[in-house]
Amino acid sequence: MFAVHLMAFYFSKLKEDQIKKVDRFLYDMRLSDETLLDIMTRFQAEMQKGLGKDTNPTAAVKMLPTFVRAIPDGSENGEFLSLDLGGSKFRVLKVQVSQEGKRNVQMESQFYPTPNEIIRGNGSELFDYVADCLADFMKTKGLKHKKLPLGLTFSFPCRQTKLEEGILLSWTKKFKARGVQDTDVVSCLTKAMRKHKDIDVDILALVNDTVGTLMTCAYDDPYCEVGVIIGTGTNACYMEDMSNIDLVEGDEGRMCVNTEWGAFGDDGALEDIRTEFDRELDLGSLNPGKQLFEKMISGLYLGELVRIILLKMAKAGLLFGGKKSSALHTKGKIETRHVAAMEKYKEGLANTREILTDLGLEPSEADCIAVQHVCTIVSFRSANLCAAALAAILTRLRVNKKLARLRTTVGMDGTVYKIHPQYPKRLHKVVRRLVPNCDVRFLLSESGSTKGAAMVTAVASRVQAQRKQIDKVLALFQLTREQLEDVRGKMRVEFEYGLKKDTHLTATVKMLPTYVCGMPDGTEKGKFLALDLGGTNFRVLLVKIRSGRRSVRMYNKIFAIPLEIMQGTGEELFDHIVQCIADFLDYMGLKGAQLPLGFTFSFPCRQTSIDKGTLIEWTKGFKATDCEGEDMVDMLREAIKRRNEFDLDIVAVVNDTVGTMMTCGHEDPNCEIGLIAGTGSNMCYMEEMRNIELVEGDEGKMCINTEWGGFGDNGCIDDIRTQYDKKVDEGSLNPGKQRYEKMTSGMYLGEIVRQILIDLTKQGLLFRGQISERLRTRGIFETKFLSQIESDRLALLQVRRILQQLGLDSTCEDSIVVKEVCGAVSRRAAQLCGAGLAAVVEKRREDQGLEYLKITVGVDGTLYKLHPHFSRILQETVKELAPRCDVMLMLSEDGSGKGAALITAVAKRLQQAQKEN
């Protein structure tokens, strides 16, 4: 028993001594956490360099865009071919991807050798060989007369400008085929395949093996957004935000970036980490000074590093009694598989003795322990370095997503990771220590990069097919110059119909005289009350106008109009309005004052004087009974009488559009047009009295309220109305009415978007084909969401958050499509508005007999104010369609309230002037 204890003590002492001896010799290969965090920071800086346009040419870590923008979503379908060139063997694969309710992949593959004379010979011979192998595979599998898409896994650094193209930057590993560098490898392979007349293959994607790994794992786990290979070579890729990739146009969505991290340190960034052994290995390699990070990590080099260290230790008399064998002197005699075998948990020591003996050495027990520890240090350092770079990528993903904690999956592949008994465990442990705020799952890629290339191809063909369908829908909203000119022309015709006595009653654009005959001249002064009714809120204002300085001060209070009042009786509506006025007068201490009042009433009215307005029809969701055909001023006066508390002098009833024009006219005498682009859409302008057949007199001008929202109600713009416009119209309160407004105003744009999203989801192009209950709800997609989603400052992540608020669980790709749909709908709205405006400015130019017209348009409305692109597109369209008009768009400050007071003031001034005359 004592002998056993003694033996155990001797062995553990021997082990301890040998380990200490090796630790001293390889002191520089042991990396502390502090050093690893430093390497992590350096790698983050290198990534940033590689992503920048100006810094990329000199960056060691190339951060190559792969043009892979989407990961599998489970809807991929079909038969695909895949080739994998880049390792010790070359593989051809047929992948059958089927949906059938669950993700299902069936594969058949065949390996072909890659002889040295082929991979180091002439480039054209290499690609001929690959094409021959592919033809052989297709013949064997009976695929010769099928047209199949193919994905090529090509595990060498390539610069891509699209998914199906790749310019080889440099060969790595053992490949050295001549005449391929700086050429497109897809073209080389396509050329070689053309020699085989009986195969029809379409190369859809060129991917790096790391990207292949990411895609394979992402098919099984949608959280996967990083791919890492630790095999013959080493590399990583991950999904980067497009806005951070300077080398590629566009900011939307994400793209997979192939880091090519094997070259980290080629610019000297790791000199303090590299040891004498690394330098010796590098000098004897095929590419000295290149891929320095890879040479400390990957399977091609770990065995060689161990050999160099053992030889040095033997020379220093620290191993094998100072004896060396010719095999130990021979490059490549120790391979990574030997290192893995020597580190096996139980049989490791026995394996070590066997391997060393095969090398012609006579190792002692102590030698075996020491050699095993050398292997541990070399492979442990490899895992540490990998962990530091991977931790940098994970941190970048977390920061990109603005998360305190990241949940993600890393797809892993490569012989070192797969066959080395301790490697995965070590790597995982160090990564979790370096990034404690990332919950990382490591997923081993099954049948790795080749299946991945097929997955990229499957995704590419899915995206291609989906894109076609999405583009088909978006094309319906893209108006040509001819179509816009046609809208302008038809609008002009409708103006004439509305102005003429004979055709006025049947005209869709009503061209209502407002009896506002003058613009402010700066002499207006006094206190005025203004009412503003036009949406779900009602405002009462006190407006103080001072003459000379054109100064206006306003006090106002906003009151809600409940739905039951909007859609109740007319008497209830006007009693509610008078109650609000009474509250305001109380609040302002004006109960007894008899002030002149202007009433902004933003619904189509037929006027016979400035203080008479007969409601033609309700719009914008109002449905109060017994109002249509009645005079709104009389209804207001009667409600004031019923209350019997105060009396008001109602001077003018005006439309909000007229108010907008007056407000801007107060500041700019050139302003003769008012435009509202908000909940509703309308326009007014100063027309020559001689053109208004409905009103007596030919002298001077009068403001015409066009009520252009009804343009198209006679079917004249049906050629540009889409199925979605028709759906929105059918579901509205006034089907068949206000068709132009329903294509241009804030009340309807969100609803058009909702109809398109439902259709795209039904086609399986959005939200994984799942229509949520929220998406089925009318009015859920408010126009304010369009403005938010289209904001240039908004990252896709925020778009996804908006969609989540709407109960829509969207992927990155969904968010891009939603943004495109919003853009198409709002762009068309702005263009149609611009075509209508071009019609009126051209009319004003011609009426005045001018070669060139300079005019200001007062504009108001939430769509114009809040949408990030509406005003610009509107302006561009007017400029294009009315080139002989210099149109300035002026934002109205509180048009409907201040405007009503100004109209009242102008009316009072004109009344006074008439009396004096």
Side-chain angles (χ1 to χ4, degrees):
M1 188 65 185
F2 176 69
V4 171
H5 279 299
L6 196 62
M7 252 329 266
F9 173 73
Y10 165 74
F11 188 73
S12 67
K13 184 83 180 82
L14 177 72
K15 192 170 182 180
E16 196 183 317
D17 290 346
Q18 293 306 314
I19 285 172
K20 277 182 181 165
K21 174 175 78 179
V22 172
D23 281 348
R24 276 195 301 276
F25 193 76
L26 298 180
Y27 177 78
D28 290 340
M29 291 186 105
R30 307 292 298 266
L31 304 173
S32 67
D33 276 7
E34 195 183 340
T35 306
L36 292 176
L37 287 166
D38 180 39
I39 292 170
M40 183 177 151
T41 308
R42 291 184 214 182
F43 188 68
Q44 280 171 317
E46 287 297 320
M47 287 168 81
Q48 197 54 49
K49 232 193 226 178
L51 288 169
K53 202 170 197 167
D54 301 334
T55 45
N56 175 275
T58 56
V61 178
K62 281 297 174 203
M63 304 295 283
L64 304 169
T66 64
F67 293 82
V68 171
R69 291 166 184 260
I71 58 173
D73 68 358
S75 67
E76 290 74 21
N77 221 329
E79 249 182 335
F80 306 94
L81 287 172
S82 182
L83 298 180
D84 186 359
L85 184 65
S88 43
K89 287 180 186 151
F90 159 57
R91 188 179 181 200
V92 186
L93 187 80
K94 186 195 96 166
V95 181
Q96 175 78 47
V97 185
S98 57
Q99 228 176 321
E100 293 166 8
K102 61 183 189 300
R103 301 178 178 221
N104 186 1
V105 178
Q106 289 168 330
M107 297 187 290
E108 294 176 59
S109 72
Q110 197 168 322
F111 284 98
Y112 293 90
T114 46
N116 268 342
E117 63 272 17
I118 291 284
I119 64 172
R120 294 190 189 179
N122 192 307
S124 56
E125 286 168 13
L126 170 67
F127 288 105
D128 284 346
Y129 175 73
V130 172
D132 292 346
C133 296
L134 176 65
D136 173 72
F137 178 82
M138 290 180 80
K139 186 180 175 184
T140 314
K141 302 293 176 193
L143 302 169
K144 276 224 159 166
H145 298 291
K146 272 188 176 179
K147 183 174 174 63
L148 292 174
L150 178 138
L152 170 62
T153 302
F154 191 72
S155 316
F156 304 96
C158 282
R159 175 161 283 113
Q160 291 185 259
T161 51
K162 42 182 189 270
L163 185 59
E164 67 283 11
E165 173 191 286
I167 310 296
L168 177 68
L169 296 178
S170 61
W171 287 116
T172 56
K173 294 168 272 200
K174 290 182 177 175
F175 280 69
K176 266 287 188 197
R178 296 184 300 280
V180 185
Q181 208 166 320
D182 298 325
T183 63
D184 173 21
V185 292
V186 175
S187 299
C188 295
L189 181 56
T190 307
K191 196 174 158 190
M193 290 193 308
R194 277 200 203 111
K195 295 175 187 172
H196 294 269
K197 302 288 180 209
D198 49 352
I199 64 170
D200 187 3
V201 171
D202 191 8
I203 304 178
L204 278 194
L206 170 80
V207 298
N208 180 281
D209 52 351
T210 328
V211 181
T213 298
L214 165 61
M215 293 302 261
T216 301
C217 294
Y219 188 67
D220 299 319
D221 180 348
Y223 278 100
C224 185
E225 46 194 348
V226 184
V228 175
I229 292 212
I230 312 161
T232 314
T234 182
N235 194 9
C237 68
Y238 71 103
M239 297 304 287
E240 176 60 89
D241 289 359
M242 279 287 287
S243 54
N244 296 330
I245 309 172
D246 285 357
L247 302 168
V248 180
E249 288 291 309
D251 283 343
E252 302 301 342
R254 302 201 298 168
M255 183 182 281
C256 182
V257 166
N258 164 19
T259 64
E260 285 298 336
W261 78 10
F264 177 34
D266 286 7
D267 56 357
L270 295 175
E271 280 316 296
D272 55 328
I273 308 296
R274 291 175 73 228
T275 64
E276 56 177 304
F277 316 114
D278 298 309
R279 291 189 174 90
E280 189 171 322
L281 177 136
D282 177 44
L283 284 172
S285 69
L286 277 172
N287 53 353
K290 299 274 169 70
Q291 301 292 103
L292 299 182
F293 190 59
E294 180 169 79
K295 284 170 184 166
M296 295 193 265
I297 291 174
S298 80
L300 191 60
Y301 305 103
L302 291 186
E304 184 58 11
L305 259 180
V306 168
R307 185 191 69 79
I308 289 168
I309 293 165
L310 298 188
L311 185 59
K312 291 237 175 193
M313 287 183 80
K315 281 181 181 171
L318 297 169
L319 280 180
F320 318 128
K323 294 195 176 92
K324 306 168 288 290
S325 66
S326 63
L328 193 57
H329 275 99
T330 309
K331 188 179 157 192
K333 275 292 181 187
I334 298 180
E335 293 171 27
T336 298
R337 63 189 171 91
H338 298 135
V339 176
M342 290 192 265
E343 284 194 74
K344 275 215 165 124
Y345 178 54
K346 281 184 178 156
E347 58 265 42
L349 272 179
N351 290 344
T352 306
R353 178 177 297 282
E354 192 183 320
I355 289 160
L356 293 173
T357 308
D358 286 349
L359 289 170
L361 298 160
E362 294 172 13
S364 64
E365 195 69 39
D367 289 334
C368 292
I369 292 166
V371 169
Q372 192 180 36
H373 193 53
V374 167
C375 292
T376 300
I377 287 177
V378 168
S379 61
F380 215 122
R381 182 184 71 153
S382 164
N384 276 335
L385 289 169
C386 242
L390 179 54
I393 290 175
L394 294 170
T395 302
R396 188 168 178 91
L397 282 174
R398 186 180 61 75
V399 172
N400 280 352
K401 293 182 179 189
K402 298 179 174 60
L403 295 174
R405 191 163 196 88
L406 173 74
R407 175 191 168 185
T408 193
T409 299
V410 178
M412 300 294 304
D413 202 355
T415 43
V416 174
Y417 185 84
K418 280 178 172 171
I419 66 163
H420 192 291
Q422 319 295 333
Y423 202 98
K425 201 165 53 188
R426 289 171 186 164
L427 176 77
H428 304 170
K429 204 171 170 182
V430 182
V431 168
R432 289 181 178 127
R433 217 165 56 228
L434 295 177
V435 279
N437 47 4
C438 296
D439 299 318
V440 189
R441 177 186 179 211
F442 289 88
L443 182 61
L444 183 62
S445 158
E446 295 300 326
S447 63
S449 52
T450 327
K451 173 182 166 187
M455 290 319 310
V456 175
T457 310
V459 170
S461 55
R462 163 176 68 80
V463 169
Q464 223 175 46
Q466 288 177 342
R467 190 69 249 177
K468 267 184 193 161
Q469 287 170 280
I470 291 164
D471 286 345
K472 203 169 153 187
V473 170
L474 295 180
L476 300 171
F477 291 84
Q478 287 154 8
L479 300 175
T480 63
R481 168 90 188 242
E482 287 70 31
Q483 285 173 313
L484 289 169
E485 283 171 349
D486 189 44
V487 169
R488 180 194 64 194
K490 284 173 177 170
M491 180 71 86
R492 184 71 188 273
V493 168
E494 291 296 319
F495 286 167
E496 302 305 334
Y497 284 165
L499 288 170
K500 295 212 175 335
K501 218 171 192 165
D502 303 345
T503 48
H504 174 80
L505 285 174
T506 55
T508 58
V509 178
K510 286 293 172 207
M511 305 297 278
L512 305 168
T514 65
Y515 294 85
V516 171
C517 297
M519 297 296 284
D521 65 2
T523 63
E524 296 77 17
K525 62 177 190 284
K527 283 184 189 174
F528 303 89
L529 267 186
L531 309 180
D532 178 10
L533 178 69
T536 47
N537 289 329
F538 169 63
R539 281 194 313 158
V540 187
L541 303 94
L542 173 69
V543 182
K544 293 180 181 176
I545 303 173
R546 291 166 69 181
S547 67
R549 289 206 317 240
R550 296 194 177 222
S551 117
V552 177
R553 288 181 72 180
M554 292 188 294
Y555 309 88
N556 76 70
K557 204 164 182 203
I558 296 175
F559 302 89
I561 299 212
L563 191 66
E564 62 272 18
I565 299 257
M566 282 168 70
Q567 300 184 2
T569 68
E571 204 167 277
E572 285 166 347
L573 173 64
F574 280 93
D575 283 347
H576 178 75
I577 286 171
V578 171
Q579 172 68 54
C580 298
I581 298 171
D583 288 353
F584 180 76
L585 292 173
D586 261 357
Y587 171 70
M588 295 298 295
L590 292 168
K591 222 19 184 312
Q594 193 180 8
L595 297 171
L597 178 143
F599 184 10
T600 300
F601 187 75
S602 309
F603 302 93
C605 279
R606 184 165 283 111
Q607 289 186 257
T608 51
S609 68
I610 196 161
D611 63 347
K612 292 233 168 289
T614 305
L615 176 65
I616 296 172
E617 63 179 344
W618 284 117
T619 56
K620 292 182 279 200
F622 275 73
K623 273 282 186 191
T625 58
D626 310 320
C627 292
E628 290 177 1
E630 297 296 324
D631 180 5
M632 295 298 99
V633 177
D634 287 348
M635 287 189 82
L636 179 60
R637 282 188 179 129
E638 278 160 26
I640 292 172
K641 257 188 213 154
R642 275 198 299 277
R643 188 162 182 103
N644 200 21
E645 271 182 30
F646 51 83
D647 198 15
L648 295 169
D649 173 17
I650 305 171
V651 175
V653 59
V654 298
N655 180 280
D656 55 349
T657 324
V658 183
T660 295
M661 180 184 79
M662 288 304 255
T663 304
C664 293
H666 187 238
E667 288 172 45
D668 179 350
N670 247 350
C671 182
E672 285 201 347
I673 299 175
L675 170 69
I676 296 261
T679 313
S681 176
N682 196 10
M683 187 270 297
C684 71
Y685 71 103
M686 296 303 286
E687 176 61 273
E688 306 298 326
M689 281 291 287
R690 66 175 185 271
N691 294 334
I692 310 170
E693 293 186 3
L694 302 168
V695 180
E696 292 293 310
D698 282 350
E699 291 304 310
K701 292 188 273 194
M702 182 186 283
C703 179
I704 291 288
N705 164 21
T706 63
E707 286 298 337
W708 75 5
F711 174 50
D713 289 0
N714 58 1
C716 71
I717 53 170
D718 279 3
D719 57 322
I720 57 169
R721 285 177 77 227
T722 67
Q723 68 200 70
Y724 310 106
D725 295 308
K726 287 168 189 162
K727 269 245 169 72
V728 169
D729 180 40
E730 283 159 18
S732 70
L733 285 168
N734 53 352
K737 301 274 175 68
Q738 299 294 101
R739 289 181 180 180
Y740 181 67
E741 180 169 80
K742 284 170 186 166
M743 295 164 85
T744 54
S745 79
M747 189 167 180
Y748 302 101
L749 298 190
E751 191 55 19
I752 297 172
V753 168
R754 187 181 74 88
Q755 291 295 346
I756 298 170
L757 299 187
I758 287 174
D759 185 38
L760 292 178
T761 309
K762 278 181 182 165
Q763 292 182 50
L765 304 170
L766 272 183
F767 312 130
R768 300 177 184 85
Q770 306 295 311
I771 300 178
S772 68
E773 271 315 301
R774 294 289 298 276
L775 192 57
R776 290 180 203 276
T777 314
R778 264 185 60 78
I780 187 71
F781 208 98
E782 294 170 49
T783 298
K784 69 173 182 185
F785 294 130
L786 264 80
S787 299
Q788 289 170 7
I789 285 169
E790 286 188 70
S791 164
D792 294 328
R793 295 193 305 278
L794 210 62
L796 275 188
L797 213 66
Q798 290 154 296
V799 175
R800 284 176 80 175
R801 281 197 196 121
I802 292 169
L803 294 173
Q804 269 160 358
Q805 287 166 19
L806 297 173
L808 304 171
D809 183 21
S810 71
T811 63
C812 201
E813 288 68 45
D814 290 340
S815 306
I816 293 173
V817 174
V818 171
K819 197 167 179 173
E820 284 183 279
V821 169
C822 292
V825 170
S826 62
R827 182 179 180 79
R828 183 189 68 163
Q831 287 179 319
L832 286 173
C833 230
L837 195 51
V840 80
V841 294
E842 270 297 302
K843 177 175 176 22
R844 291 301 296 132
R845 185 184 66 77
E846 287 173 22
D847 283 351
Q848 293 171 63
L850 296 172
E851 188 59 38
Y852 196 78
L853 172 72
K854 193 172 169 54
I855 196 166
T856 299
V857 179
V859 195
D860 202 355
T862 45
L863 191 57
Y864 182 85
K865 281 179 179 168
L866 303 179
H867 191 281
H869 308 300
F870 191 93
S871 57
R872 175 181 55 79
I873 296 164
L874 173 70
Q875 181 102 48
E876 285 168 3
T877 309
V878 174
K879 198 174 181 179
E880 197 177 334
L881 298 180
R884 289 194 278 172
C885 300
D886 179 2
V887 181
M888 187 179 119
L889 299 180
M890 181 180 186
L891 186 62
S892 153
E893 290 308 320
D894 192 36
S896 41
K898 183 173 160 183
L902 280 164
I903 290 166
T904 308
V906 170
K908 278 283 185 198
R909 171 169 63 78
L910 294 175
Q911 275 171 14
Q912 193 64 36
Q914 263 177 341
K915 270 183 198 168
E916 285 166 11
N917 285 340

